[in-house]
């Protein structure tokens, strides 16, 4: 009976942006030392990525398409991120949702609606819903840095595809990580574009999968511009994120990630 | 004429019309059986309600923050008892503390709102059903425990199982979201499905660490010698409490339970009386017939100089024998009927409805000595008094007229 | 026949005391059964009625998937004409529309996830008892500028808001967009059931429609009929409403209600049967006695040419007359008892707590209901007749000569 409702677009985008960042940053990471074991390689890739990731910032514009057998809906948004904790997202379309925003800081999440002109802190009981009826569960996205911190990683395969090397990394959550999945399998190209992320339950059954459908060069680097989260267990349920523009490593004032900015945008 | 002769006479008279005696005997037997059997079932049901109610984290006495019961939020907690309070609590046969806060649990596919219980696993054993109800896996270890216990029903709803991890989300006193992954180390089964769906258990220290509430608890629960009389204990413990702490007994925490228990004794007595009255019509009737049949005989005895008092006693003896026989048989049958059921009667057919009353799918009849005594006393005392009328009539017969009846 | 009847009647009164005692057993249990069964059914009726009159109604029209997955998108639309046609249909008293959504309700101090219900404020009181359980303030009123909200008393307390304070509602609308609104608390409700008082929230259906972008769609049409018993037949008469909706009766909507009644019924009828069996034994005994003691008389009658069959019917007739007497007196007295209790009301210690749990009033005023008044006594009646069969069978063993020599 708990309905899907949570206003945490910020988190969703945060994840996507941060993972974009992290995968992009793989470029700056050292090439994996070829002589070590796959486990150490995977760790090295991610460790380097994390080290480089901290302090990073971004600005982006994007559209989310939620598809269901009987309807489809699009939401356009602008997002700012800084480091692995802070993010701010604001809806720019459709008209009725313009100005709706979500701010995520280290320990909390706030949402703002111009309709009521209020900022509301989201309680834990509401953290568990799928977002706006999309195929992203807040659980997957509320802790963007979790994929790095709360998992142990393993490089399981390297293959060639379209002239690129593709690393397949298996991520298994730590014992006390707030993650329900049994494992996640991430495929990353050597130019650090994420190709897919698959979510398996604890019996090893695939539950949902995010696929990269389009890759373009934005802000001077290849970026996944269209990604689709597919619900494996329900037919014709998917959500797409289409990235229009992105600027990496920009200067963002501290005031961006504040409740007052959430309420009264200064940008 | 002495008593032994009198009773011999009565005994023989009883069997002069054995068919009638048998019928009456069976009626009394069935009546007594029904009295005792039904009472045992009802007692079993109420005992179970009370037992379940008290075992399900109610106990006999509980102490909370004064606002906790209205608003079971993490902010309404109290510090772990200090030495003075502990010293007092140690006078109770058992006590424990719990963190009890609302939380949400997630599996890969489902999510549920639950009550997260941070328990002192060793102390908890003496207070609730939990430790004895683990059906898969194990109970919580006393130290360094990071596993979770969940109910069987909840496991089904979450589509998860023993050995898998689930994620618990709640919030700390500053309204910040806290979450943690925990492995299911044990699955418990409760009498009520609702209980299985509602409560999950973590080690108390671990819970406090997750929630960021060092040394804070939601409730203190005690178990006392006698759950019916708690006023004195309450006053003593209360004197050791802080201003904003509130002490309540189970009657307050579970009003329905208290009311049901209160009604039970009255109900048992009424049931026995009703059965007896239904029975007594037949009893009196049989005796009247027995007397009527022997009008001539009584007339003869009276005219031969037998005292009316002895006639009266003789009839009363007849009735007494009948009653005692019926009682013995009825009580014995009830005992025989209940003995094999003591391991429980499966009432799952109607269990869904009974669940609302706090009764599980198995009913354990409870044969209580005082109920057997009550039933026997009622039947003997009232039975003999009811026989007084026909007996009196027999003793007041006019010898001549009586002898002339056909 | 009249002769046998007169004979049987006279035979009965040859042993006045015995007949009265046997009849007395019947009358006693009949009066008791009339009272208990009337009480019992009145209580069930009340439980059902009061439970259904909280929110459920007698039947509902819903989207087919709504029962299992009460998601906001599982809504439906019924045209005004369809609704009016339904409402005018015989056997339907009231129809109201409702919508429901899960929202985050936030006051300055606290936030809770709650189920909010959009109601037709002017009609809601005719179908639900909740509007009548006002604790503070008033119920929703039509034509107000602001968005009004009525909350369960405990919820209001936990949110720490008072009448006139504002509450922010936040959720997602049917189209997935953000649903947000500020509502003003105009009243609180108290049912006495904690769980309910912690969760109730009502707003106007029009407001709900706007906030959650329902575009005229709703989640439930709740209907009340004159009585629960008429629901089944009524449902067969409801016209096809289309593929997007299903009709569900109260049994489907609240299955545990019927189950708790059934389990209570099982244990009650066990007790009743014990009573009835005891009465049957009493009758058996009486009839057997009366047959045995008249052995000589029967012998003479048979010698005079009366066959066993006639004799048997005579004895049966006696039992029948006695049972009839018990039946009539029992029902009569029973009804008087019920009628008196209907005036004074019945209550017992502990009933108040029971009442809160099972949605019944704490003092019950019984109403005479012939159907439930008859059930017990008729069973006693049949059991008494059955009990007379054994003595009658014994007649077949009667041998004329021996019988005539009997003492």
């Amino acid at each position: 009976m708990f309905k899907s409702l949570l206003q945490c677009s910020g988190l969703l985008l945060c994840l996507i942006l941060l993972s974009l960042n992290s995968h992009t940053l793989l470029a700056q990471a050292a090439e994996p030392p070829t002589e070590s074991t796959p486990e150490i390689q995977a760790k090295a890739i991610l460790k380097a990525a994390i080290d480089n990731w901290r302090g990073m910032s971004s600005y982006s514009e994007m559209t989310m398409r939620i598809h269901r057998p009987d309807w489809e809906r699009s939401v356009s948004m602008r997002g700012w991120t800084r480091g692995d904790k802070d993010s701010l997202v604001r809806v720019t379309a459709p008209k009725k949702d313009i100005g709706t925003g979500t701010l995520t800081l280290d320990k909390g999440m706030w949402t703002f609606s111009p309709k009521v002109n209020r900022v509301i802190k989201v309680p834990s009981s509401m953290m568990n819903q799928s977002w706006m009826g999309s195929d992203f569960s807040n659980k997957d996205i509320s802790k963007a840095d979790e994929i790095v911190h709360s998992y142990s990683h393993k490089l399981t395969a390297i293959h060639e595809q379209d002239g690129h090397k593709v690393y397949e990394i298996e991520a298994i959550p730590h014992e006390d990580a707030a993650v329900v999945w049994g494992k996640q399998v991430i495929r990353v190209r050597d130019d650090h574009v994420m190709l897919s992320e698959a979510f398996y339950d604890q019996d090893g059954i695939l539950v949902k999968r995010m696929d990269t459908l389009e890759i373009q060069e934005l802000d001077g680097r290849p970026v996944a511009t269209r990604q689709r989260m597919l619900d494996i267990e329900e037919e014709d349920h998917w959500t797409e994120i289409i990235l229009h523009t992105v600027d990496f490593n920009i200067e963002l004032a501290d005031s961006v990630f504040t409740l007052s900015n959430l309420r009264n945008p200064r940008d | 004429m002495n008593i032994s002769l009198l009773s011999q006479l009565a005994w023989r008279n009883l069997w002069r019309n054995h068919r009638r005696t048998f019928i009456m005997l069976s009626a009394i037997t069935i009546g007594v059986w029904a009295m005792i059997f039904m009472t045992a079932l009802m007692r079993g049901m109420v005992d179970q309600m009370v037992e379940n109610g008290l075992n399900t984290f109610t106990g006999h006495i509980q102490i909370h923050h004064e606002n906790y019961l209205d608003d079971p939020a993490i902010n309404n907690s109290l510090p772990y008892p200090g030495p003075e309070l502990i010293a007092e609590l140690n006078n109770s046969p058992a006590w424990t503390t719990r963190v009890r806060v609302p939380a949400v649990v997630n599996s890969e596919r489902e999510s549920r709102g639950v009550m997260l219980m941070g328990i002192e696993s060793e102390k908890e054993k003496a207070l609730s059903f939990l430790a004895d109800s683990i059906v898969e896996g194990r109970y919580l270890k006393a130290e360094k425990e990071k596993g979770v216990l969940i109910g069987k029903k909840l496991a089904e709803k979450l589509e998860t199982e023993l050995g898998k991890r689930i994620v618990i989300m709640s919030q700390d006193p500053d309204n910040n979201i806290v979450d943690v992954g925990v492995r299911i180390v044990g699955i418990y089964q409760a009498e009520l499905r609702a209980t299985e769906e509602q409560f999950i258990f973590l080690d108390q220290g671990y819970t406090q660490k997750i929630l960021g509430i060092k040394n804070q608890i939601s409730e203190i629960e005690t178990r006392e010698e006698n759950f019916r009389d708690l006023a004195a204990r309450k006053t003593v413990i209360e004197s050791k409490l802080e201003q904003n702490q509130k002490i309540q007994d189970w009657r307050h925490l579970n009003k329905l339970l208290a009311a049901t228990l209160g009604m039970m004794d009255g109900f048992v007595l009424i049931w026995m009386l009703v059965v007896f009255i239904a029975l007594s019509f037949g009893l009196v009737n049989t005796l009247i017939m027995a007397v009527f049949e022997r009008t001539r005989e009584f007339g003869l005895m009276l005219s031969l100089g037998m005292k009316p008092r002895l006639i009266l006693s003789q009839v009363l003896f007849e009735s007494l024998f009948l009653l005692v026989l019926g009682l013995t048989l009825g009580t014995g049958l009830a005992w025989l009927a209940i003995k094999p059921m003591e391991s429980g009667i499966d009432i799952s057919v109607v269990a869904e409805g009974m669940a609302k009353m706090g009764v599980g799918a198995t009913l354990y009849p409870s044969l209580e000595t005082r109920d057997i005594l009550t039933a026997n006393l009622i039947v003997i005392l009232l039975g003999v008094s009811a026989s007084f009328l026909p007996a009196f009539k027999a003793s007041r017969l006019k010898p001549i007229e009586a002898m002339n009846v056909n | 026949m009249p002769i046998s009847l007169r004979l049987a009647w006279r035979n009965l009164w040859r042993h006045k005391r015995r007949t009265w005692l046997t009849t007395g057993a019947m009358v006693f249990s009949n009066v008791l059964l009339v009272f208990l069964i009337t009480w019992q059914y009145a209580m069930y009726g009340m439980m059902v009625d009061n439970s259904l009159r909280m929110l459920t109604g007698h039947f509902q029209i819903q989207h087919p998937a709504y029962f299992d997955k009460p998601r906001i998108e599982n809504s439906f639309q019924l045209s005004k004409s369809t609704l009016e046609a339904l409402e005018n249909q015989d056997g339907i008293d009231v129809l109201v529309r409702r919508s429901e959504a899960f929202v985050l309700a936030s006051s300055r101090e606290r936030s809770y996830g709650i189920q909010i219900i959009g109601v037709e404020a002017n009609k809601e009181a005719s179908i639900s008892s909740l509007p009548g359980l006002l604790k503070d303030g008033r119920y929703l009123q039509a034509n107000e500028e602001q968005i009004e909200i009525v909350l369960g008393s405990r919820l209001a307390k936990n949110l720490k808001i008072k009448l006139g304070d504002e509450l922010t509602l936040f959720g997602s609308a049917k189209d997935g967009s953000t649903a947000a609104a500020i509502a003003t608390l105009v009243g609180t409700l108290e049912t006495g059931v904690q769980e309910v008082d912690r969760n109730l929230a009502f707003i106007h259906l029009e407001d709900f429609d706007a906030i959650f972008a329902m575009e005229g769609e709703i989640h439930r049409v709740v209907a009340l009929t004159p009585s629960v018993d008429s629901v089944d037949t009524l449902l067969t008469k409801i016209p096809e409403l289309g593929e997007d909706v299903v009709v569900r009766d109260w049994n489907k909507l609240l299955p545990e209600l019927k189950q708790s009644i059934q389990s209570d019924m099982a244990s009650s009828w066990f007790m009743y049967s014990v009573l009835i069996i005891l009465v049957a034994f009493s009758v058996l005994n009486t009839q057997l006695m009366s047959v045995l003691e008249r052995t000589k008389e029967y012998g003479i009658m048979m010698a005079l040419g009366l066959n066993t069959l006639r004799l048997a019917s005579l004895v049966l007739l006696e039992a029948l007359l006695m049972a009839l007497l018990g039946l009539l007196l029992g029902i009569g007295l029973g009804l008087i008892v019920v009628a008196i209790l209907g005036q004074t009301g019945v209550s017992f210690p502990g009933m108040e707590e029971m009442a809160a749990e099972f949605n019944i009033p704490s003092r019950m005023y019984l109403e005479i209901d012939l159907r439930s008044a008859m059930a017990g006594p008729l069973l006693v009646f049949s059991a008494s007749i059955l009990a007379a069969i054994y003595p009658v069978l014994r007649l077949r063993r009667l041998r004329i000569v021996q019988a005539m020599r009997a003492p």
Side-chain angles (χ1 to χ4, degrees):
Chain A
M1 107 162 175
F2 280 54
K3 297 285 303 158
S4 55
L5 94 103
L6 196 62
Q7 304 305 304
C8 53
S9 45
L11 295 182
L12 164 62
L13 296 162
C14 178
L15 168 74
I16 290 157
L17 290 174
L18 292 175
S19 48
L20 274 173
N21 282 352
S22 72
H23 301 310
T24 307
L25 285 163
L26 285 174
Q28 287 139 33
E31 272 292 308
T34 41
E35 69 273 26
S36 59
T37 64
E39 287 75 15
I40 294 169
Q41 284 180 9
K43 221 160 214 156
I45 293 170
L46 286 157
K47 185 80 168 66
I50 295 157
D51 288 345
N52 278 293
W53 176 6
R54 292 192 193 283
M56 280 290 297
S57 61
S58 77
Y59 166 78
S60 61
E61 291 173 9
M62 61 189 74
T63 300
M64 180 171 77
R65 269 175 78 200
I66 304 164
H67 178 85
R68 289 290 172 270
D70 50 350
W71 59 272
E72 195 176 300
R73 156 183 158 77
S74 291
V75 186
S76 298
M77 299 171 262
R78 297 201 285 167
W80 294 260
T81 70
R82 184 177 64 183
D84 56 1
K85 300 279 197 214
D86 306 339
S87 78
L88 174 69
V89 169
R90 221 188 291 287
V91 174
T92 53
K95 206 171 173 194
K96 65 204 295 187
D97 280 343
I98 288 180
T100 302
T102 303
L103 174 70
T104 313
L105 298 178
D106 186 17
K107 274 234 139 177
M109 184 169 172
W110 291 263
T111 182
F112 170 77
S113 169
K115 287 181 192 164
V116 290
N117 199 27
R118 294 274 159 103
V119 169
I120 295 167
K121 177 150 193 182
V122 180
S124 63
S125 60
M126 307 294 286
M127 283 294 287
N128 198 39
Q129 323 298 324
S130 97
W131 175 66
M132 274 198 174
S134 76
D135 293 295
F136 292 96
S137 97
N138 300 306
K139 201 55 229 162
D140 303 329
I141 60 183
S142 63
K143 294 286 183 77
D145 58 329
E146 220 156 40
I147 186 69
V148 191
H149 292 314
S150 307
Y151 291 70
S152 50
H153 306 88
K154 201 159 83 179
L155 188 57
T156 48
I158 304 174
H159 20 244
E160 296 284 330
Q161 187 181 315
D162 305 331
H164 285 282
K165 253 187 187 170
V166 175
Y167 301 102
E168 190 175 284
I169 296 173
E170 186 180 274
I172 292 173
H174 292 154
E175 184 67 13
D176 61 351
V179 174
V180 293
W181 307 114
K183 68 168 180 186
Q184 274 148 261
V185 175
I186 304 147
R187 288 169 61 238
V188 188
R189 230 161 62 167
D190 58 1
D191 61 352
H192 319 297
V193 175
M194 186 181 85
L195 294 182
S196 71
E197 180 169 9
F199 299 81
Y200 293 86
D201 73 7
Q202 295 172 55
D203 290 323
I205 296 167
L206 183 62
V207 179
K208 55 189 198 175
R209 194 178 66 229
M210 174 119 100
D211 293 317
T212 296
L213 304 178
E214 275 170 29
I215 300 169
Q216 278 175 28
E217 189 145 311
L218 289 178
D219 199 22
R221 52 186 81 162
V223 172
T225 48
R226 194 152 75 90
Q227 292 180 295
R228 175 183 287 187
M229 179 67 98
L230 189 65
D231 187 333
I232 306 292
E233 295 178 344
E234 283 202 74
E235 211 181 322
D236 214 11
H237 278 56
W238 49 260
T239 302
E240 261 181 27
I241 301 286
I242 299 144
L243 195 62
H244 306 299
T245 64
V246 59
D247 295 319
F248 292 111
N249 294 328
I250 51 167
E251 282 296 315
L252 287 176
D254 284 349
S255 62
V256 172
F257 303 99
T258 57
L259 288 177
S260 69
N261 187 38
L262 175 65
R263 181 195 287 268
N264 301 311
R266 277 179 289 261
D267 51 275
Chain B
M1 217 191 259
N2 63 19
I3 296 229
S4 92
L5 193 63
L6 205 61
S7 51
Q8 245 176 43
L9 207 58
W11 180 255
R12 291 221 185 109
N13 275 329
L14 204 53
W15 299 106
R16 266 167 53 181
N17 192 333
H18 56 91
R19 193 173 294 109
R20 180 175 65 206
T21 303
F22 271 135
I23 291 175
M24 199 51 226
L25 200 56
S26 22
I28 298 176
T29 307
I30 290 180
V32 172
W33 173 83
M35 284 180 190
I36 297 176
F37 184 76
M38 265 324 275
T39 305
L41 286 192
M42 288 189 292
R43 287 257 188 242
M45 207 164 92
V46 172
D47 284 358
Q48 205 186 344
M49 266 179 79
V50 171
E51 194 57 27
N52 277 342
L54 300 187
N55 262 342
T56 310
F57 322 111
T58 302
H60 295 172
I61 293 177
Q62 285 196 345
I63 300 158
H64 297 105
H65 184 276
E66 58 185 350
N67 295 334
Y68 179 83
L69 286 182
D70 272 346
D71 182 14
I74 192 166
N75 312 65
N76 293 327
S77 55
L78 33 135
Y80 195 85
E84 203 188 343
L85 181 54
I86 288 185
E88 186 50 57
L89 289 171
N90 280 338
N91 293 332
S92 299
W95 66 277
T96 192
T97 64
R98 295 190 193 103
V99 174
R100 190 198 284 233
V101 290
V104 176
V105 289
N106 314 312
S107 67
E108 296 97 314
R109 292 179 180 79
E110 287 292 332
S111 121
R112 295 272 149 178
V114 296
M115 200 52 98
L116 167 62
M117 309 283 266
I119 56 170
E120 302 182 79
S121 55
E122 280 309 305
K123 282 187 179 164
E124 185 69 37
K125 285 180 183 166
L127 282 130
S128 68
F129 71 88
L130 187 65
D132 303 325
S133 309
I134 307 294
V135 288
E136 281 179 69
R138 58 169 176 84
Y139 186 62
L140 295 183
K141 289 183 298 189
E143 276 180 33
K144 290 198 176 158
E145 176 64 85
K146 291 190 167 183
V148 66
L149 293 180
I150 73 169
K152 196 172 158 69
K153 198 75 207 160
L154 183 66
E156 280 168 27
K157 291 258 156 131
L158 290 175
E159 298 177 38
T160 187
E161 60 194 19
L162 185 70
K164 287 191 175 173
R165 292 169 62 256
I166 53 173
V167 171
I168 301 174
M169 301 171 101
S170 187
Q171 52 196 54
D172 69 13
D174 301 325
N175 280 335
N176 294 320
I177 291 157
V178 292
D179 52 8
V180 66
V182 286
R183 197 168 288 280
I184 302 169
V185 296
I187 290 184
Y188 70 89
Q189 206 164 11
E191 282 292 342
L192 303 183
R193 292 209 315 203
T195 308
E196 286 178 22
E197 278 188 54
Q198 195 182 357
F199 298 102
I200 65 168
F201 302 88
L202 281 180
D203 172 70
Q204 188 170 87
Y206 193 45
T207 314
Q208 287 165 338
K209 196 177 143 205
I210 295 166
L211 297 174
I213 44 163
K214 211 170 176 207
N215 238 1
Q216 294 280 309
I217 52 166
S218 308
E219 68 191 16
I220 304 170
E221 178 180 310
T222 77
R223 185 155 283 236
E224 305 296 337
E225 300 289 353
N226 179 358
F227 74 94
R228 288 169 196 269
D229 183 20
L230 296 166
R233 272 303 279 160
K234 253 171 73 180
T235 320
V236 175
I237 298 175
E238 192 163 20
S239 66
K240 304 282 190 291
L241 297 181
E242 308 279 325
Q243 194 107 66
N244 63 354
Q245 300 174 354
K246 201 166 170 185
I247 184 164
Q248 277 161 321
D249 64 23
W250 64 275
R251 285 174 203 277
H252 225 89
L253 299 163
N254 191 338
K255 295 203 173 78
L256 179 68
L257 200 60
T260 313
L261 195 68
M263 269 164 29
M264 197 51 205
D265 285 331
F267 193 75
V268 164
L269 203 65
I270 289 175
W271 165 243
M272 288 183 172
L273 282 176
V274 162
V275 171
F276 175 79
I277 293 173
L279 200 64
S280 65
F281 284 99
L283 179 72
V284 173
N285 217 353
T286 309
L287 284 174
I288 284 180
M289 282 187 273
V291 168
F292 180 80
E293 243 173 39
R294 281 178 275 154
T295 309
R296 283 182 72 173
E297 188 182 315
F298 286 133
L300 192 68
M301 285 164 122
L302 283 166
S303 62
L304 288 176
M306 196 179 191
K307 293 199 177 89
R309 192 167 48 83
L310 289 179
I311 302 265
L312 183 99
S313 323
Q314 192 198 324
V315 176
L316 285 183
F317 263 114
E318 255 185 80
S319 145
L320 190 67
F321 286 146
L322 197 62
L323 291 169
V324 169
L325 263 182
L327 276 171
T328 317
L329 283 174
T331 309
L333 274 182
W335 188 83
L336 280 180
I338 290 163
K339 261 295 149 193
M341 292 182 184
E342 266 177 356
S343 54
I345 314 165
D346 183 18
I347 52 163
S348 45
V349 195
V350 288
E352 292 277 313
M354 299 299 258
K356 194 160 186 187
M357 297 287 298
V359 179
T362 316
L363 182 60
Y364 301 92
S366 143
L367 193 60
E368 280 185 32
T369 324
R370 67 183 165 126
D371 291 331
I372 299 180
L373 283 179
T374 316
N376 279 275
L377 269 177
I378 285 184
V379 173
I380 289 271
L381 287 182
L382 296 185
V384 170
S385 343
S387 322
F388 202 79
L389 185 80
F392 185 74
K393 274 210 101 73
S395 69
R396 281 299 134 103
L397 286 169
K398 301 239 163 28
I400 313 279
E401 285 170 31
M403 278 166 67
N404 284 337
V405 172
N406 348 351
Chain C
M1 208 55 195
I3 293 182
S4 341
L5 198 65
R6 237 185 301 160
L7 205 58
W9 185 251
R10 276 217 328 250
N11 278 342
L12 269 188
W13 299 111
R14 270 162 57 183
H15 290 280
K16 251 195 215 154
R17 198 173 288 121
R18 182 171 70 199
T19 303
W20 276 127
L21 275 169
T22 313
T23 320
M26 295 182 200
V27 173
F28 169 74
S29 16
N30 284 346
V31 171
L32 205 66
L33 287 174
V34 169
F35 166 67
L36 287 177
I37 296 175
T38 308
W39 157 277
Q40 194 185 356
Y41 281 83
M43 208 155 85
Y44 295 159
M46 221 123 350
M47 249 168 87
V48 171
D49 209 47
N50 292 357
S51 303
L52 298 185
R53 292 217 51 151
M54 285 266 257
L55 282 170
T56 314
H58 287 147
F59 69 88
Q60 295 187 0
I61 302 169
Q62 299 179 350
H63 182 280
Y66 193 73
F67 185 73
D68 293 318
K69 290 188 178 164
R71 294 184 181 154
I72 196 162
E73 63 266 26
N74 289 335
S75 58
F76 66 97
Q77 189 142 35
L78 276 189
S79 68
K80 217 171 173 164
S81 56
T82 315
L83 270 174
E84 270 169 17
L86 268 179
E87 195 152 24
N88 290 331
Q89 181 162 349
D90 268 351
I92 296 182
D93 282 354
V94 206
L95 279 181
V96 297
R97 294 173 297 151
R98 280 195 208 131
S99 287
E100 290 163 9
F102 194 68
V103 295
L104 178 62
S106 307
S107 63
R108 225 167 270 281
E109 307 248 358
R110 290 284 179 85
S111 295
Y112 289 98
I114 55 164
Q115 182 88 12
I116 192 160
I117 307 178
V119 295
E120 296 181 81
N122 54 341
K123 283 169 85 181
E124 190 64 18
S126 59
I127 203 161
S128 164
S129 55
L130 293 175
L133 298 173
L134 215 56
K135 182 168 179 263
D136 279 317
R138 57 172 175 81
Y139 196 66
L140 305 172
Q141 277 173 9
N143 307 323
E144 290 286 331
E145 282 290 302
Q146 60 193 5
I147 296 174
E148 300 181 325
I149 190 165
V150 171
L151 297 177
S153 56
R154 225 162 248 271
L155 180 58
K157 197 175 162 194
N158 290 348
L159 283 165
K160 302 188 176 170
I161 58 173
K162 298 187 300 291
L163 294 186
D165 287 352
E166 287 183 339
L167 186 67
T168 311
L169 305 174
F170 218 94
S172 40
K174 182 169 179 289
D175 60 5
S177 63
T178 311
I182 294 177
T184 307
L185 183 69
V186 295
T188 62
L189 303 177
E190 190 161 79
T191 61
V193 185
Q194 279 200 23
E195 222 182 301
V196 178
D197 294 342
R198 243 201 301 250
N199 286 302
L200 283 181
F202 294 101
I203 56 175
H204 286 284
L205 188 63
E206 300 80 52
D207 292 335
F208 189 99
D209 191 76
I211 297 170
F212 295 93
M214 299 296 289
E215 294 175 336
E217 299 212 339
I218 48 172
H219 291 121
R220 304 169 193 269
V221 167
V222 184
L224 208 60
T225 66
S227 97
V228 277
D229 307 318
S230 60
V231 176
D232 285 348
T233 42
L234 177 71
L235 289 190
T236 58
K237 286 189 224 148
I238 286 189
E240 197 56 46
L241 294 169
E243 264 179 34
D244 300 345
V245 296
V246 287
V247 177
R248 296 190 195 281
D249 66 6
W250 62 278
N251 253 331
K252 173 81 182 162
L253 297 164
L254 273 185
E256 67 277 8
L257 188 59
K258 194 144 205 179
Q259 272 162 339
S260 68
I261 288 177
Q262 275 165 346
S263 63
D264 187 71
M265 202 114 98
S267 60
S268 313
W269 277 103
F270 183 82
M271 295 198 207
Y272 298 161
S273 34
V274 168
L275 264 184
I276 294 171
I277 289 173
L278 288 179
V279 174
F281 268 94
S282 191
V283 174
L284 175 65
N285 222 350
T286 314
Q287 287 307 98
L288 191 65
M289 283 313 95
S290 97
V291 167
L292 290 179
E293 101 194 347
R294 280 182 285 169
T295 309
K296 190 174 178 178
E297 187 183 317
Y298 291 149
I300 296 171
M301 283 166 99
M302 281 167 81
L304 291 175
L306 202 67
N307 64 20
T308 328
L309 207 65
R310 282 293 295 274
L311 208 55
S313 60
L314 188 70
V315 176
L316 262 186
L317 202 59
E318 277 176 41
L320 189 75
L321 282 176
M322 197 153 62
L324 211 56
L325 194 66
L327 182 77
L328 294 178
L329 283 177
I331 292 180
L333 279 176
L335 289 181
I336 292 174
V337 170
V338 170
I340 292 172
L341 291 176
Q343 291 302 308
T344 59
V346 200
S347 189
F348 52 83
M351 188 153 158
E352 207 166 307
E353 285 80 4
M354 293 261 162
E357 187 72 18
F358 296 100
N359 282 318
I360 50 173
S362 53
R363 180 168 276 273
M364 298 251 311
Y365 293 88
L366 296 182
E367 257 178 61
I368 291 179
D369 170 36
L370 277 183
R371 256 190 316 169
S372 44
M374 299 288 280
L378 278 178
L379 275 172
V380 170
F381 179 80
S382 335
S384 309
I385 307 253
L386 274 179
I389 286 180
Y390 172 69
V392 168
L393 287 178
R394 282 199 53 87
L395 284 174
R396 283 172 42 205
R397 288 206 254 151
L398 221 59
R399 296 285 167 274
I400 298 177
V401 181
Q402 282 164 332
M404 282 172 69
R405 283 204 195 121

